[in-house]
Amino acid sequence: NKFQVIPNLPKIKEIHTDSKGSVWFISLNYSDACFIDNNLKNFRQFTHDPNNSKSVKGKIVTLMRIDNRQHLWIGFDDAGFVSKLNLDDYYKNDKKAEFVSYSFSGNKVTSIFFIYEFTFFTDNLGYLYRYEEKQDKMVLVTEALAGHYITDGIGDNKGNIWFATTNQGLLLWNSKLRIRFNYTTSNSNLVSNFINQLFIDNTGVL
């Protein structure tokens, strides 16, 4: 085994691989969504084109995720939209990128995360949304989290959703039990109220 150096790439913020082994990442240099094929040769950047409704919706890419249905999701710092690219169609159509965009109440998407087969989103107002595959639309789940700037979310096996926030600690929410509780440095042993990302290991520990 050996590392392969790919020259002249921009600085990378986060990186993802799809089912074809191709690499998708956010460029820190240009704030674009970028692509390298599985041969590590074909490099592309995807930018907003005001004359093309099927281009990415924003100019400053800050979030990127790939779900288990091979949808690439892209969020922006300068637009209250998220753009989706069906990767199966992308490869079938000779890598022709046709993005579909969905709007939110806020002016930016702050998190994209997955719970079971669903894809969830939060905007800067703290509203929670879920993508409905069959209807191909966004559904507003709740406004109960309004006022929280959420950076990540994760579900546990008890039906709870945990949210990471900036300066507001860890937020627990359960819609069925009507529970909402904030864990902060003042009421728990959290070392910081600024939380970027969440993970639950295979023993159920958050």
Side-chain angles (χ1 to χ4, degrees):
N1 295 331
K2 63 179 182 179
F3 290 101
Q4 182 173 348
V5 177
I6 307 172
N8 303 319
L9 284 181
K11 292 181 179 179
I12 295 173
K13 177 184 177 182
E14 62 177 80
I15 191 166
H16 304 272
T17 56
D18 63 26
S19 61
K20 301 290 186 182
S22 298
V23 176
W24 300 83
F25 64 91
I26 299 174
S27 160
L28 280 176
N29 301 62
Y30 311 108
S31 299
D32 289 338
C34 301
F35 164 85
I36 308 174
D37 67 16
N38 54 6
N39 295 317
L40 304 180
K41 294 180 180 179
N42 179 17
F43 171 72
R44 294 182 65 185
Q45 292 173 270
F46 300 92
T47 58
H48 172 67
D49 180 354
N51 298 314
N52 180 5
S53 62
K54 295 182 178 180
S55 70
V56 295
K57 198 68 174 180
K59 298 178 182 178
I60 304 174
V61 177
T62 51
L63 291 170
M64 178 182 287
R65 299 288 186 272
I66 298 176
D67 66 23
N68 58 10
R69 292 185 174 89
Q70 290 300 291
H71 295 149
L72 174 73
W73 295 96
I74 299 173
F76 311 95
D77 189 62
D78 63 326
F81 291 84
V82 65
S83 293
K84 181 192 73 174
L85 177 64
N86 186 316
L87 296 178
D88 290 336
D89 291 344
Y90 175 72
Y91 289 109
K92 288 177 184 177
N93 297 328
D94 197 26
K95 298 177 182 176
K96 181 181 179 181
E98 295 185 341
F99 289 89
V100 179
S101 296
Y102 307 86
S103 64
F104 298 90
S105 297
N107 56 25
K108 69 174 70 175
V109 177
T110 62
S111 71
I112 304 171
F113 58 95
F114 313 119
I115 299 177
Y116 303 115
E117 73 273 21
F118 295 109
T119 303
F120 289 88
F121 308 82
T122 56
D123 63 18
N124 62 304
L125 299 178
Y127 294 0
L128 177 67
Y129 304 83
R130 182 181 66 244
Y131 174 66
E132 292 291 344
E133 177 81 18
K134 292 182 179 179
Q135 291 83 23
D136 188 29
K137 67 177 184 179
M138 289 292 167
V139 174
L140 176 63
V141 176
T142 185
E143 299 177 7
L145 314 174
H148 294 84
Y149 194 97
I150 295 167
T151 56
D152 196 15
I154 196 167
D156 64 22
N157 59 10
K158 295 182 179 180
N160 301 311
I161 303 180
W162 300 84
F163 296 96
T165 73
T166 59
N167 201 31
Q168 293 170 302
L170 182 66
L171 177 63
L172 165 66
W173 183 67
N174 188 309
S175 60
K176 292 182 179 180
L177 300 178
R178 298 183 179 180
I179 294 173
R180 193 187 77 174
F181 187 78
N182 264 94
Y183 294 90
T184 66
T185 55
S186 62
N187 65 13
S188 73
N189 60 353
L190 280 178
V191 297
S192 174
N193 288 325
F194 291 84
I195 304 174
N196 292 319
Q197 200 165 13
L198 299 173
F199 179 77
I200 295 178
D201 66 20
N202 56 11
T203 66
V205 175
L206 176 69

